[in-house]
Amino acid sequence: MLEYVVSRTDAFISSKPKAHRKSFGQFFTSAATARFMAGLFTIPAKNTLKLLDPGAGSGILSAAVIEMVGQQYPHVEKIELTCYETNPDVLPLLEANIEYINDRSKIKIAATIVKDDYLLSQSNDFSGTLMASPISAKYDLIIGNPPYFKLAKGAPEAVSMPEVCHGAPNIYFLFAAMSLFNLRDGGEMVYIIPRSWTSGAYFSHFRNYLLGNGRLAGLHIFTSRKKVFDKEDVLQETIIMNIRKTKVTPPAVRITSSADSGNFADITELLVPYDTVVSGTERYVHLVTSLDDVNVLNKVNGFEKSLPSMGMKMKTGLTVDFRNRGLLRNTSGDHTVPLFYSQHIRDGRVVFPIGKENEYISDELSSMVQLNRNYLFVKRFTAKEERRRLQCAIYLADRYPNYKKISTQNKINFVDTTDGSCMSEKLVYGLYVVFNSTLYDMYYRILNGSTQVNATEMNSIPVPDRTTLENLGVKLMKCGRYTTADCDDFLKEAIYV
């Protein structure tokens, strides 16, 4: 049954240019991925199941669930299937596939295709306070491969779901939020979506909604970006999540991972304590793939402080240089200050000048200058293939005594005090030990799969207390080296004291 639906879908894909399908944000699930997703459900002991497939496409995911239930759960006599789809190109294919499934299924199928916008058709009912509302239909199982594209901040879908929106949302997480709303209490949803929602302030409203009204039962992580969507050229950091609509937190999350979604033959499995996977008030989701990852999380989470709790904060550089070209200078002069870029971060030190264009900037705009005091600089962007994600350098004000102020380009972050005081040298050195260590680089890679170092996330990461940081700094200052190996050794001593 599933193979037939997939073969019909492949023919459809071949007939339509990718750019046309991309305009709908539509990428079709492979047969192997669909079967894997269907197998994640815990099927309730009911004769009739209500199944929802929002953004159904050609019906691949519906076919996978119906095929799996028919083969493995003889107590199920009927499935009431609801498919939402609005793409006029794919609707005839969906209708034909549903008819084929209905004719060949071992289970009685009562199918409804809703040719209406999945989000807007229910937006009047959606509310964070109406999770058990009888207004909208409630389902036992929901399986989804939602569309992927950005919406404008004022788009009707975004405006209608303020509980989960922060700025201009991507439509995929609005689909996921609405699906949780559509679940009955105790029901489950399985979604294949980007991993981007698992961290960062941009997705905080969504995470609070999803993990405040549901609980993570399982995650599947693709360690390769290829082969997730068969017949599609998609390089997306993608995960599969299994969410149960409940407020009872399970002891552990089942986390699986594989490099190849062609047959899931290389799959590995871990049971990880729930609080290790979902942590903090921001409900960041840590995507662990090994016991080493779990060990990293446990070590870092053992620290009880954060930068803000100790009067410090990581911020993003003040100057967007390409928007302020008229203020940039190639040489120092009256009313100019040094402008520090990521290129000035070299092996733990700040090297300035380096003969780069526009290394200075006029100080006429106060919003683009900061006091010349001690900072820890951290690159905001690194290349995917670079060995380290966290690349930092110690900036000491007394090495640039000719300047009362400096500027930082917005492709670096910097750690500063929140009360306007100057950090001691030993504190800056201590911060360098922590963030230049292998432990914290691994932690950040688990937290965030992108190549951008997000200041908000960094401010949430547990760190040693101030006394420990200063002691680490003193050790590094005496050592005189800036290597990761030395930082690792000093930090291990702090962890095991």
Side-chain angles (χ1 to χ4, degrees):
M1 184 190 300
L2 178 60
E3 298 299 340
Y4 175 83
V5 172
V6 169
S7 68
R8 293 284 304 275
T9 304
D10 289 347
F12 170 81
I13 291 172
S14 300
S15 71
K16 300 292 181 183
K18 180 185 175 183
H20 180 72
R21 287 180 283 111
K22 190 176 181 181
S23 68
F24 290 91
Q26 194 161 44
F27 299 98
F28 294 92
T29 321
S30 70
T33 301
R35 281 201 175 99
F36 180 81
M37 291 173 66
L40 295 176
F41 284 113
T42 301
I43 303 301
K46 300 173 66 175
N47 294 333
T48 299
L49 296 179
K50 291 181 179 291
L51 170 64
L52 172 64
D53 188 349
S58 62
I60 290 175
L61 291 175
S62 295
V65 175
I66 293 169
E67 181 181 81
M68 178 271 296
V69 172
Q71 292 172 349
Q72 300 180 29
Y73 296 92
H75 70 271
V76 178
E77 300 172 358
K78 180 181 179 182
I79 292 180
E80 296 177 2
L81 170 65
T82 301
C83 295
Y84 277 82
E85 183 56 54
T86 58
N87 185 341
D89 290 337
V90 79
L91 269 169
L93 176 60
L94 175 61
E95 291 167 343
N97 285 341
I98 293 299
E99 183 177 351
Y100 178 88
I101 292 169
N102 192 44
D103 290 342
R104 285 159 178 78
S105 173
K106 297 178 182 179
I107 304 169
K108 183 178 179 181
I109 305 297
T112 302
I113 297 177
V114 182
K115 302 174 186 179
D116 200 354
D117 187 289
Y118 174 60
L119 301 176
L120 294 179
S121 63
Q122 302 186 93
S123 60
N124 289 335
D125 299 340
F126 179 85
S127 170
T129 61
L130 291 177
M131 293 303 294
S133 168
I135 298 173
S136 291
K138 299 298 175 183
Y139 298 86
D140 301 297
L141 312 173
I142 301 177
I143 191 163
N145 173 9
Y148 308 81
F149 57 83
K150 278 281 188 74
L151 291 167
K153 185 177 181 179
E157 296 89 344
V159 172
S160 68
M161 301 177 69
E163 294 92 340
V164 296
C165 288
H166 180 81
N170 194 303
I171 197 169
Y172 82 79
F173 73 77
L174 299 187
F175 264 68
M178 187 64 79
S179 288
L180 183 68
F181 172 71
N182 286 144
L183 279 176
R184 65 165 176 82
D185 289 339
E188 289 185 20
M189 58 185 280
V190 174
Y191 255 64
I192 181 167
I193 54 176
R195 65 167 283 171
S196 51
W197 67 274
T198 59
S199 63
Y202 180 77
F203 297 95
S204 61
H205 290 72
F206 170 64
R207 282 195 308 274
N208 285 333
Y209 183 84
L210 186 75
L211 300 176
N213 296 289
R215 294 296 184 270
L216 195 59
L219 280 172
H220 183 80
I221 302 164
F222 296 100
T223 56
S224 169
R225 294 191 295 174
K226 300 179 180 179
K227 297 186 179 181
V228 176
F229 296 102
D230 200 16
K231 311 294 183 184
E232 303 278 14
D233 183 20
V234 179
L235 286 178
Q236 176 67 257
E237 298 279 0
T238 307
I239 61 175
I240 297 171
M241 67 175 186
N242 178 202
I243 301 287
R244 184 171 293 117
K245 188 171 179 178
T246 179
K247 293 193 177 182
V248 178
T249 302
V253 180
R254 178 178 179 261
I255 299 183
T256 55
S257 59
S258 66
D260 185 354
S261 66
N263 54 22
F264 291 85
D266 61 340
I267 197 166
T268 61
E269 179 177 339
L270 288 172
L271 280 177
V272 185
Y274 194 93
D275 290 343
T276 300
V277 179
V278 181
S279 68
T281 57
E282 292 293 328
R283 292 190 168 102
Y284 288 149
V285 177
H286 300 285
L287 302 180
V288 300
T289 58
S290 67
L291 291 175
D292 287 340
D293 288 349
V294 175
N295 189 38
V296 166
L297 293 177
N298 289 339
K299 285 180 178 178
V300 173
N301 290 337
F303 295 118
E304 297 179 351
K305 297 292 185 180
S306 66
L307 292 177
S309 74
M310 294 185 289
M312 295 177 284
K313 191 174 184 181
M314 184 171 288
K315 305 175 183 178
T316 299
L318 306 181
T319 297
V320 182
D321 54 331
F322 69 87
R323 292 179 181 169
N324 297 278
R325 298 187 191 280
L327 300 177
L328 303 179
R329 306 286 185 268
N330 289 328
T331 58
S332 179
D334 292 340
H335 301 292
T336 64
V337 300
L339 174 58
F340 291 95
Y341 295 80
S342 61
Q343 293 94 322
H344 294 116
I345 296 176
R346 297 187 176 183
D347 299 321
R349 296 172 173 85
V350 175
V351 179
F352 183 93
I354 56 174
K356 183 186 181 305
E357 278 190 329
N358 303 322
E359 284 187 295
Y360 298 88
I361 188 170
S362 168
D363 65 0
E364 64 186 77
L365 291 181
S366 60
S367 61
M368 294 186 193
V369 295
Q370 58 204 87
L371 291 174
N372 182 23
R373 56 191 185 207
N374 298 336
Y375 300 104
L376 182 76
F377 287 170
V378 181
K379 286 186 180 181
R380 273 189 71 202
F381 298 96
T382 55
K384 196 75 178 178
E385 63 274 8
E386 286 190 78
R387 183 179 59 86
R388 288 189 59 86
R389 196 63 72 234
L390 298 182
Q391 298 183 27
C392 46
I394 293 166
Y395 177 88
L396 299 178
D398 63 8
R399 294 181 182 175
Y400 304 91
N402 296 331
Y403 299 99
K404 291 183 178 180
K405 295 182 179 180
I406 64 170
S407 184
T408 46
Q409 194 229 15
N410 79 324
K411 290 186 180 177
I412 66 172
N413 295 318
F414 61 92
V415 179
D416 191 11
T417 61
T418 54
D419 64 2
S421 61
C422 183
M423 285 191 291
S424 66
E425 288 192 14
K426 60 184 178 181
L427 183 56
V428 178
Y429 273 86
L431 290 170
Y432 178 84
V433 170
V434 169
F435 292 128
N436 192 54
S437 69
T438 302
L439 179 68
Y440 274 78
D441 191 67
M442 291 177 66
Y443 184 95
Y444 194 79
R445 286 175 180 270
I446 297 168
L447 175 63
N448 187 316
S450 77
T451 56
Q452 178 175 344
V453 176
N454 183 287
T456 301
E457 292 173 352
M458 293 293 287
N459 287 324
S460 74
I461 293 176
V463 293
D465 59 50
R466 183 181 292 268
T467 300
T468 302
L469 286 172
E470 291 175 341
N471 290 338
L472 290 171
V474 170
K475 290 181 180 180
L476 187 65
M477 293 166 74
K478 289 180 179 178
C479 166
R481 297 185 297 269
Y482 292 73
T483 69
T484 296
D486 287 304
C487 293
D488 289 346
D489 288 341
F490 297 146
L491 188 57
K492 283 178 185 176
E493 292 175 14
I495 290 173
Y496 293 113
V497 166

